[in-house]
Amino acid sequence: MYAFPTHTAASVTSGGSPSSYLPPILVFRLLSDDWLSVLSAKFTVISPSSPLSTSARAALVSAAYNRVDTDLLNQYPSLRCIVSSGAGVNHMNLEECQRRGVQVANVGETHSINVADYAVGLLLDVMRRITMSDQYVRNGLWVTQGDYPLGSKLGGKRVGIVGLGSIGSAIAKRLKAFGCQISYLSRKPKPNVNYKFIPNIYDLATESNILVVSCSLTKETHHIINEQVLQALGKEGIIINIARGAHIDETKLVQSLVKGEIRGAGLDVYEDEPNIPKELIEMENVVLTPHQAVFTPESMGEVIQICIANFEAFFAGKPLVTPVVAD
Amino acid sequence: MYAFPTHTAASVTSGGSPSSYLPPILVFRLLSDDWLSVLSAKFTVISPSSPLSTSARAALVSAAYNRVDTDLLNQYPSLRCIVSSGAGVNHMNLEECQRRGVQVANVGETHSINVADYAVGLLLDVMRRITMSDQYVRNGLWVTQGDYPLGSKLGGKRVGIVGLGSIGSAIAKRLKAFGCQISYLSRKPKPNVNYKFIPNIYDLATESNILVVSCSLTKETHHIINEQVLQALGKEGIIINIARGAHIDETKLVQSLVKGEIRGAGLDVYEDEPNIPKELIEMENVVLTPHQAVFTPESMGEVIQICIANFEAFFAGKPLVTPVVAD
């Protein structure tokens, strides 16, 4: 995605006065080409293949591409601070980081707005058949075959939000403006929230026309959308996933769609990205996008600034600005 | 779209007692297959090709398919009530109807929610590149070529609404929940509205990142989006049209898109439907749908009930329920 500059030990330590010293950070992946110059103004950027990498104390990782597991922590034993440019934490073994005294930050809140916007976009797209009718028009079928089959009205629909964190709350706020009836699942009822709390995923699915998955991926939420949940959602049900692929038992989802046991799906995430079950590719009642809900150019600038603030705090011996808090 | 039953004069007038008499209505087009049975329970449905059609006093037309012009009024001279199942009025020569004493109704408000939802869906789709990235995924390019280029963030964008009627107001309410800054153009400032009033389309375009066209099509609003407006909107500008194709000078819009003078467009309506300028078909920065913003199966039931209520009022000699009011 970007070209690393060539570093030598000299380039890190040379430069004379202490004021020109730029602390080294190990960078696994930059999500924007601009980031290299922005980071290089404050830090010495080290690539994973550099001989200096094993002595780095701080690292930038990308949620979509890097697993922060025992292997990585063994390979770079000097790391004491890892900043993830993503929203989730399931790519990181937080217990192992804690055991080794590695501080962890991510930039979750920054992404919530983008993800929430995207979830509503996917939902409208599936319900009103925007993507499929665009293809119908582009293939000349409007002229030869007349109207495209209608989609469904969003207003008044019962939407179940799986996980009412910052993303789920932003989705609920938006869908409220469309006249939807919002219910949500979480470990316990949220204070100061008017939406209906439903403590069980099966009940939430039964009471909803639409399920939107927006929780963290943990052992408890892995495959939270399983065969029984899909059956509870039912034939007219629609499911939107902008969280992580493994929230849904993808094999069962595909079976449900093939059998017409649910109506449709809008998916931005998959269990084995970038591979997508081949059955989905031919379906007209799904919208399939490449794990892009989280990022926009506008948010990229915010994200890198938050990453920098965390690194600066770390090197100054202060608490991280946006530490990952186990919930 | 549906098969008309065969009517004879006898089937209209026979049946014995006055209580079984079903007043005849001339039906040009049914937008749903269900409508025939619903209408037939209350009226005798006559097709335009029936010999009885020229004596019909009431008619149901579809905005997208029937022009209510001098030709039609001459062909069916007995008409005194025309109900349109659509939202707009530009397909009807209202002056000529008035001159001939033909009452006119449409079902505008029923459609506002659907159209507003759809406008936001189109906007999110264009900005976040949902349709195009779905095709990217389906064509296997995520696996072979990696990430799809990012779209833009909706939150915080300045949106100019062209026409703050029931549709425009519903769009504004929705986009407010996304954190957009709303301005609007209308003949005069609307009471009880907090959005910024801008009385000039050029100023609105200059001050907006996004223009959404949601006004009625009249002589004044024909080609309201012209070359100068597109230039004022500028290189990062996005335009959404869910109103009527003729609101936009389509030739100039295509030129602006080809030259990169604006960033993208989401179009549900066109100047010469179902024909679409061939230049648009290959573009990745547009979403093109087949004039479907207005209808959903859910709204179809409401629409036919409002049409029936208007016909019942007409045959009872009462004022129409949802008369078209020239604005």
Side-chain angles (χ1 to χ4, degrees):
Chain A
M1 199 156 181
Y2 72 108
F4 273 102
T6 316
H7 287 299
T8 62
S11 76
V12 175
T13 53
S14 73
S17 67
S19 65
S20 71
Y21 172 75
L22 301 179
I25 56 170
L26 174 57
V27 174
F28 284 90
R29 191 179 175 94
L30 298 174
L31 292 174
S32 165
D33 292 337
D34 307 334
W35 283 13
L36 184 60
S37 60
V38 176
L39 284 171
S40 297
K42 305 226 173 195
F43 308 100
T44 300
V45 173
I46 299 172
S47 89
S49 59
S50 158
L52 292 174
S53 62
T54 51
S55 61
R57 296 179 60 232
L60 177 65
V61 302
S62 163
Y65 298 94
N66 307 117
R67 291 206 61 77
V68 179
D69 52 16
T70 312
D71 282 354
L72 181 135
L73 294 168
N74 284 342
Q75 198 173 349
Y76 304 103
S78 300
L79 286 181
R80 291 295 172 271
C81 169
I82 295 176
V83 178
S84 169
S85 55
V89 296
N90 64 296
H91 59 300
M92 297 191 277
N93 184 336
L94 295 177
E95 288 175 12
E96 188 61 22
C97 288
Q98 192 171 18
R99 202 182 65 75
R100 299 184 183 217
V102 179
Q103 299 182 61
V104 176
N106 71 357
V107 297
E109 296 286 327
T110 318
H111 298 306
S112 302
I113 299 303
N114 278 333
V115 178
D117 288 357
Y118 202 88
V120 177
L122 268 184
L123 176 56
L124 281 164
D125 201 314
V126 172
M127 295 197 73
R128 304 300 304 274
R129 315 193 73 176
I130 292 174
T131 289
M132 283 301 137
S133 67
D134 170 282
Q135 294 303 303
Y136 185 82
V137 165
R138 288 181 198 249
N139 291 330
L141 299 175
W142 193 17
V143 177
T144 57
Q145 302 196 18
D147 292 343
Y148 189 72
L150 293 178
S152 298
K153 187 177 182 179
L154 178 57
K157 289 290 188 296
R158 287 172 280 112
V159 181
I161 311 260
V162 184
L164 201 72
S166 62
I167 293 173
S169 299
I171 293 170
K173 177 187 169 191
R174 283 154 179 70
L175 291 179
K176 196 80 186 164
F178 287 83
C180 294
Q181 301 169 50
I182 311 290
S183 302
Y184 71 100
L185 171 73
S186 61
R187 263 174 292 251
K188 49 187 178 180
K190 303 278 179 182
N192 307 317
V193 154
N194 284 326
Y195 313 125
K196 184 179 178 187
F197 171 66
I198 298 182
N200 178 297
I201 185 68
Y202 303 100
D203 294 340
L204 186 76
T206 303
E207 293 193 24
S208 298
N209 307 118
I210 296 155
L211 283 182
V212 183
V213 184
S214 58
C215 54
S216 300
L217 181 61
T218 63
K219 281 176 192 160
E220 291 72 34
T221 63
H222 181 267
H223 282 196
I224 188 170
I225 309 296
N226 59 24
E227 188 172 11
Q228 290 71 39
V229 173
L230 293 165
Q231 281 169 359
L233 183 59
K235 284 181 81 72
E236 294 302 311
I238 286 171
I239 192 151
I240 302 295
N241 192 5
I242 44 66
R244 288 287 181 267
H247 281 116
I248 300 182
D249 184 334
E250 200 168 82
T251 306
K252 298 297 180 189
L253 174 66
V254 170
Q255 285 174 7
S256 294
L257 287 164
V258 167
K259 293 180 188 168
E261 292 171 352
I262 68 167
R263 183 171 188 162
L267 306 173
D268 189 49
V269 290
Y270 311 87
E271 285 209 77
D272 181 29
E273 297 174 8
N275 299 300
I276 292 183
K278 62 182 189 309
E279 295 91 337
L280 295 179
I281 302 291
E282 297 298 319
M283 286 183 187
E284 288 201 20
N285 53 336
V286 298
V287 176
L288 309 168
T289 62
H291 201 148
Q292 65 181 13
V294 75
F295 286 119
T296 60
E298 291 87 340
S299 73
M300 286 291 191
E302 286 175 56
V303 167
I304 190 63
Q305 292 307 326
I306 295 172
C307 292
I308 287 172
N310 278 291
F311 287 125
E312 288 181 330
F314 168 73
F315 287 117
K318 295 179 183 168
L320 298 187
V321 182
T322 54
V324 169
V325 182
D327 63 354
Chain B
M1 197 155 182
Y2 72 109
F4 273 103
T6 316
H7 286 300
T8 62
S11 75
V12 176
T13 53
S14 72
S17 68
S19 65
S20 70
Y21 171 74
L22 301 179
I25 57 170
L26 173 58
V27 175
F28 284 90
R29 191 179 174 94
L30 298 174
L31 292 173
S32 165
D33 291 338
D34 307 335
W35 283 14
L36 185 60
S37 60
V38 176
L39 284 172
S40 297
K42 304 227 172 194
F43 307 101
T44 301
V45 173
I46 300 172
S47 88
S49 58
S50 156
L52 293 174
S53 62
T54 52
S55 61
R57 294 178 61 231
L60 177 65
V61 301
S62 163
Y65 297 94
N66 307 118
R67 291 206 62 76
V68 178
D69 52 16
T70 311
D71 282 354
L72 181 136
L73 295 168
N74 284 341
Q75 198 174 349
Y76 304 101
S78 299
L79 287 180
R80 289 295 171 271
C81 169
I82 294 176
V83 178
S84 169
S85 56
V89 297
N90 64 297
H91 59 299
M92 297 191 278
N93 185 336
L94 296 177
E95 287 175 13
E96 188 62 22
C97 288
Q98 190 169 20
R99 202 182 65 76
R100 297 182 184 219
V102 179
Q103 298 182 61
V104 176
N106 71 357
V107 297
E109 295 287 328
T110 317
H111 297 306
S112 302
I113 299 302
N114 278 334
V115 177
D117 288 357
Y118 202 88
V120 177
L122 268 184
L123 176 56
L124 280 164
D125 200 315
V126 172
M127 295 196 75
R128 303 302 302 276
R129 314 193 74 177
I130 292 174
T131 288
M132 284 301 135
S133 67
D134 170 281
Q135 293 303 303
Y136 185 82
V137 165
R138 287 181 198 250
N139 291 330
L141 299 175
W142 192 17
V143 177
T144 58
Q145 303 197 16
D147 293 343
Y148 188 73
L150 295 177
S152 298
K153 187 177 182 179
L154 178 56
K157 290 289 190 296
R158 288 171 279 113
V159 181
I161 311 257
V162 183
L164 201 72
S166 62
I167 293 172
S169 299
I171 293 170
K173 176 187 170 192
R174 284 155 179 71
L175 291 179
K176 196 80 186 165
F178 287 83
C180 295
Q181 302 169 49
I182 311 290
S183 303
Y184 71 99
L185 171 74
S186 62
R187 261 173 295 251
K188 49 187 178 181
K190 302 277 180 183
N192 307 318
V193 155
N194 284 327
Y195 314 124
K196 184 178 177 187
F197 172 65
I198 298 182
N200 179 298
I201 184 68
Y202 303 100
D203 294 339
L204 186 76
T206 303
E207 294 193 23
S208 298
N209 307 117
I210 296 155
L211 282 182
V212 182
V213 184
S214 57
C215 55
S216 300
L217 182 60
T218 63
K219 281 177 193 161
E220 291 72 34
T221 63
H222 181 269
H223 282 197
I224 188 170
I225 309 297
N226 59 25
E227 189 173 9
Q228 290 72 38
V229 173
L230 292 166
Q231 281 169 359
L233 183 58
K235 283 181 82 72
E236 294 301 314
I238 286 171
I239 192 153
I240 302 295
N241 191 5
I242 42 68
R244 289 286 181 267
H247 281 117
I248 299 182
D249 184 332
E250 200 168 81
T251 307
K252 298 297 180 189
L253 174 66
V254 170
Q255 285 174 7
S256 295
L257 286 163
V258 167
K259 292 180 189 168
E261 292 172 351
I262 68 168
R263 183 171 188 162
L267 306 174
D268 187 51
V269 290
Y270 311 87
E271 285 208 77
D272 181 30
E273 295 172 10
N275 300 299
I276 291 182
K278 63 181 188 309
E279 294 91 338
L280 295 179
I281 301 292
E282 296 300 319
M283 286 183 188
E284 288 201 20
N285 54 335
V286 297
V287 176
L288 310 169
T289 62
H291 200 148
Q292 66 182 13
V294 75
F295 285 118
T296 60
E298 290 88 340
S299 72
M300 286 292 192
E302 288 175 54
V303 167
I304 191 62
Q305 292 307 326
I306 296 173
C307 292
I308 287 171
N310 278 290
F311 287 125
E312 289 181 329
F314 169 72
F315 287 116
K318 294 177 183 170
L320 298 188
V321 182
T322 53
V324 169
V325 182
D327 63 355

